[in-house]
Amino acid sequence: MKLPPPATLRAFEAAARHESFLQAATELGMTAAAVSQHVKALEDWLGVALFERRPRGVRLTTDGREFGAACSEGLGHIARAVERLTARRGGSRVSLACKPSVVNHWLGPRLPRFRAAHPEIQVSVVYPLGALTPDEAGTDLLIRHGTRP
């Protein structure tokens, strides 16, 4: 079975769901240019245009809409399987969004002590670009500074 690179599928699925490279980038913690590059690589791999690029954003083509639905369904199956497997293991997973400087100066030094006290909890850290809430970052928690949203 020959499949396109997983990173291209994930970027495309988010872009197709939002019909926006910028919103997909915010969700995935990358730049809109990176999402665009992943989508372009997928279009080249498939040999078909998935989006119409316009001066004020993008719009799914008919093929893009069909393939986007298939990607959402497939990635949804994978996500549910991961949830079932990790639930059986008895462990928990927490996703945290914060800036790299928070990891380097505050979180990083504290993680070993946390892991020793809670070995059953897996912590994953992402770097959100402009996210104001955990939902926007696609995480359980968000550490940020500044004015409260």
Side-chain angles (χ1 to χ4, degrees):
M1 176 186 329
K2 190 170 179 179
L3 297 172
T8 65
L9 292 174
R10 188 164 181 237
F12 167 71
E13 189 278 332
R17 194 167 14 89
H18 293 291
E19 210 156 332
S20 164
F21 290 172
L22 182 58
Q23 289 178 15
T26 300
E27 176 183 315
L28 299 172
M30 59 177 62
T31 65
V35 170
S36 177
Q37 288 174 350
H38 281 300
V39 170
K40 179 68 176 132
L42 181 60
E43 288 175 325
D44 290 346
W45 194 91
L46 293 169
V48 70
L50 299 170
F51 282 96
E52 293 174 18
R53 278 123 176 114
R54 297 172 169 215
R56 292 191 168 262
V58 294
R59 186 168 150 193
L60 282 165
T61 63
T62 302
D63 289 334
R65 197 166 308 287
E66 182 181 322
F67 191 63
C71 287
S72 288
E73 184 178 340
L75 291 174
H77 284 299
I78 293 168
R80 287 186 292 282
V82 166
E83 287 174 12
R84 284 192 303 274
L85 289 172
T86 55
R88 279 188 223 149
R89 217 179 47 218
S92 299
R93 170 178 272 165
V94 175
S95 57
L96 169 69
C98 61
K99 291 186 176 185
S101 60
V102 172
V103 173
N104 291 336
H105 299 291
W106 184 80
L107 183 63
R110 288 165 175 78
L111 273 178
R113 190 174 61 208
F114 178 84
R115 292 197 64 194
H118 305 282
E120 76 284 2
I121 299 176
Q122 179 182 355
V123 178
S124 64
V125 179
V126 299
Y127 306 120
L129 296 174
L132 298 176
T133 66
D135 285 341
E136 287 180 16
T139 60
D140 299 312
L141 304 167
L142 172 70
I143 297 175
R144 63 184 296 269
H145 62 86
T147 308
R148 274 184 120 171

